[in-house]
Amino acid sequence: MTTTTHEDHHDHAPKGFLNRWVFSTNHKDIGTLYLVTSLIMFFIGGSMAMIIRAELFMPGMQLVQPEFFNQMTTVHALVMVFGAVMPAFVGFANWMIPLMIGAPDMALPRMNNWSFWLLPVAFGLLVSTLFMDGGSLAGGWTMYPPLILQTGDSFIYAMFAVHVLGISSIMGAINIIITILNMRAPGMTLLRMPLFVWTWLITAFLLLAVMPVLAGAITMLITDRFFLTSFFNAAGGGDPVMFQHIFWFFGHPEVYIMILPAFGIVSEIIPTFARKPLFGYTSMVYASASIAFLSFIVWAHHMFTVGMPLGGQVYFMLATMMIAVPTGVKVFNWVATMWRGSMTFETPMLFSLGFVVLFTVGGLSGLMLAIVPADFQYHDTYFVVAHFHYTLVTGSVYALMAGAYYWIPKWSGHMYNERLGKWHFWLSTIFVNVLFFPQHYLGLAGMPRRIPDYSPQFADFNMLSSIGGFGFGLTQLLFVYIMWKAVKGGPKATTQVWEGARGLEWTVPSPAPHHTFSTPPKVDDSVVAHPDHL
């Protein structure tokens, strides 16, 4: 039995810029809007990182005032987390989930449009706080009171922006869940779904569970500031540590919201270029679900130094170590997929391999942080900065770049420049390690994070780190050039694109027509990458 594909090459895209992009309800156009917006935010957040690294290039105050430096660290984090990484994964979800499950569109297309357009409004509001009297938030992305409550006029604007971002995320999650559960093509059972779809289904439930928690935490901050409540004000009987518990109950699942879709992307790419089915597909699904569950019960490992009871410390230490088990299953399965495979090393595969190796470095430093007595030494040092940047940059961002190279021929109908793609990978990989690896040693030597000035003993590694930062930032301009050239023209992509690729998205023409699967395809084992009897 074969699949029924949509072979109509006539493009029925709406005419006119406004109809095509502003009022669009088409999942591909909205996916493109998400991806372009996240790329813009990536460079805005990256420019803030460049200010941070320029200030830290040498000891002493060089370029900016300490207050502005603190605003840069805070807004850099908020923009990168909520503006670059999360919307990029939502863009991939919009583009690929309907294609992968044989659906004509997302289940709630008008809500899809609305959930996107809340983003530029929220980010316009957040970035505008930098230009208000007193500047923007300067209490870290964690927004801990009492420091965050000392922010000037911009406080309420930033809080409202975070609320709007949360609303956007919740609407996107609802749409993804309904689409996956209700709109799969005949024969597309849950255990035949591509792993990217599985990871996004799990991620969407995480978003629904934790975004209201963040909303509650910042609403309590607002009432403390403007309505004289004392949730976190010790003078009124409140407890600032309670905010940390509430925030990290959101914040730790949030970390996995940013990495689970990355696991999904890499699990699509590695089998394609190893020319083998994914090893242990079912165990990968269960491992993803296990990681999601465990992410809810480990939040206080961020808080070992707040005076937690010994029993709490032991519990959170052991629970954190448990996350290494399903994560280890994933790494083992990726390696086993490559084992004795007929591997080639196109750019998507290079970024995926970089992800597997370097994300594992971040995972191992996370295990070091899980050990309570050691964490007392590491806490709030540059060791933590190195750890989470290895998980988020060489983890999430590398997976996003791998996915962009992997699917851009399907999106644009043109192949990218493979030689430039490999240059992009190798330059990024060299510079990202020059940027973040020395920060492990800075942290072990005792350099605190979020400081604009430091002791001269830390000077050499900081200079090295800053050089890596500038190099990594400039290299990403090459990524934009490669993507732009692929969209504008280049060698024509075939329907299949990659020799070893399997799945419904590789049965539609390249570029994918504006409307696909108006007739649902029939799915069988010849099409899907993961037959459910394996």
Side-chain angles (χ1 to χ4, degrees):
M1 185 165 59
T2 57
T3 117
T4 308
T5 62
H6 177 87
E7 293 295 347
D8 180 10
H9 287 257
H10 297 293
D11 210 352
H12 301 295
K15 299 292 183 272
F17 182 84
L18 285 179
N19 285 333
R20 175 72 191 270
W21 297 110
V22 178
F23 302 119
S24 176
T25 55
N26 182 276
H27 73 97
K28 300 179 184 73
D29 288 346
I30 293 173
T32 302
L33 288 168
Y34 268 109
L35 290 167
V36 170
T37 301
S38 69
L39 189 62
I40 293 167
M41 288 295 156
F42 179 66
F43 278 97
I44 291 173
S47 64
M48 294 174 184
M50 294 301 97
I51 293 170
I52 293 166
R53 287 314 325 166
E55 179 58 57
L56 295 174
F57 188 76
M58 292 170 64
M61 296 307 299
Q62 311 294 325
L63 302 170
V64 297
Q65 294 301 309
E67 300 81 17
F68 186 72
F69 181 91
N70 291 342
Q71 290 166 31
M72 286 292 97
T73 58
T74 303
V75 182
H76 161 72
L78 289 171
V79 166
M80 284 304 203
V81 169
F82 294 111
V85 175
M86 285 176 65
F89 282 128
V90 177
F92 276 97
N94 265 290
W95 245 106
M96 298 315 302
I97 287 174
L99 288 179
M100 287 177 157
I101 65 173
D105 207 315
M106 298 293 279
L108 303 165
R110 286 187 179 85
M111 192 165 88
N112 205 13
N113 176 285
W114 190 26
S115 66
F116 167 73
W117 281 110
L118 289 175
L119 281 182
V121 172
F123 278 105
L125 202 57
L126 181 62
V127 174
S128 73
T129 61
L130 291 167
F131 305 99
M132 296 180 184
D133 284 346
S136 187
L137 301 179
W141 86 284
T142 52
M143 300 179 279
Y144 283 174
L147 182 60
I148 201 72
L149 295 172
Q150 297 165 18
T151 305
D153 296 341
S154 65
F155 172 81
I156 191 64
Y157 295 94
M159 293 298 105
F160 184 65
V162 174
H163 263 306
V164 174
L165 293 170
I167 294 167
S168 170
S169 295
I170 289 169
M171 291 200 299
I174 291 169
N175 211 351
I176 286 166
I177 290 168
I178 296 172
T179 302
I180 294 170
L181 294 184
N182 288 351
M183 298 185 68
R184 299 191 309 279
M188 178 66 74
T189 61
L190 285 174
L191 285 178
R192 277 179 167 170
M193 293 195 313
L195 210 69
F196 178 69
V197 180
W198 256 115
T199 53
W200 245 116
L201 179 63
I202 294 165
T203 300
F205 278 110
L206 283 180
L207 278 166
L208 281 189
V210 302
M211 278 304 178
V213 177
L214 176 64
I218 63 174
T219 301
M220 287 191 275
L221 284 176
I222 291 167
T223 60
D224 271 11
R225 171 75 181 267
F226 296 105
F227 300 103
L228 303 181
T229 56
S230 292
F231 290 113
F232 312 124
N233 180 2
D239 183 4
V241 173
M242 182 173 74
F243 178 87
Q244 296 191 30
H245 279 289
I246 299 169
F247 179 86
W248 285 115
F249 189 79
F250 147 79
H252 201 75
E254 166 67 21
V255 173
Y256 291 95
I257 286 164
M258 291 188 287
I259 203 64
L260 280 171
F263 290 164
I265 291 173
V266 169
S267 299
E268 299 301 322
I269 293 172
I270 288 176
T272 294
F273 295 100
R275 290 162 182 80
K276 283 173 61 186
L278 183 69
F279 181 88
Y281 167 80
T282 309
S283 66
M284 291 290 256
V285 172
Y286 285 118
S288 300
S290 302
I291 288 168
F293 170 74
L294 291 170
S295 74
F296 280 102
I297 61 170
V298 298
W299 74 90
H301 65 210
H302 298 268
M303 302 168 53
F304 284 146
T305 59
V306 301
M308 193 186 299
L310 184 62
Q313 293 178 352
V314 172
Y315 162 74
F316 283 108
M317 176 171 71
L318 295 175
T320 302
M321 289 179 172
M322 280 176 64
I323 288 193
V325 177
T327 309
V329 167
K330 284 181 168 293
V331 174
F332 176 84
N333 285 6
W334 290 324
V335 174
T337 303
M338 292 184 274
W339 178 254
R340 304 187 75 174
S342 180
M343 286 172 62
T344 53
F345 298 97
E346 287 85 349
T347 308
M349 186 62 162
L350 289 175
F351 272 103
S352 298
L353 289 171
F355 169 93
V356 172
V357 173
L358 297 174
F359 174 77
T360 303
V361 171
L364 291 172
S365 62
L367 273 176
M368 294 171 68
L369 289 161
I371 301 165
V372 176
D375 185 74
F376 271 63
Q377 196 67 27
Y378 305 141
H379 186 77
D380 265 346
T381 71
Y382 258 77
F383 188 88
V384 180
V385 178
H387 155 69
F388 69 71
H389 281 94
Y390 265 92
T391 59
L392 285 178
V393 180
T394 61
S396 300
V397 174
Y398 261 46
L400 286 165
M401 288 173 176
Y405 283 110
Y406 186 57
W407 282 307
I408 191 74
K410 181 58 64 182
W411 300 341
S412 68
H414 303 288
M415 296 301 293
Y416 61 88
N417 186 318
E418 186 64 57
R419 188 162 149 274
L420 287 180
K422 286 178 175 169
W423 269 102
H424 175 228
F425 168 75
W426 285 111
L427 287 171
S428 293
T429 301
I430 291 164
F431 283 128
V432 84
N433 285 292
V434 173
L435 167 56
F436 294 122
F437 207 82
Q439 294 178 7
H440 291 104
Y441 298 109
L442 288 169
L444 292 172
M447 179 175 166
R449 62 194 283 202
R450 298 195 190 116
I451 54 167
D453 191 9
Y454 53 85
S455 166
Q457 67 185 2
F458 304 128
D460 292 348
F461 274 162
N462 264 299
M463 183 177 288
L464 193 61
S465 188
S466 291
I467 291 167
F470 300 140
F472 183 75
L474 287 170
T475 302
Q476 304 325 304
L477 296 173
L478 180 59
F479 174 69
V480 176
Y481 175 76
I482 295 165
M483 291 293 123
W484 175 256
K485 291 292 282 183
V487 170
K488 281 300 177 189
K492 288 287 184 189
T494 61
T495 296
Q496 176 75 11
V497 183
W498 308 109
E499 181 191 330
R502 295 182 74 190
L504 287 177
E505 73 266 38
W506 308 111
T507 64
V508 302
S510 303
H514 196 70
H515 297 290
T516 40
F517 300 126
S518 48
T519 305
K522 292 186 178 64
V523 176
D524 63 21
D525 291 353
S526 68
V527 181
V528 294
H530 318 293
D532 52 7
H533 64 256
L534 287 182

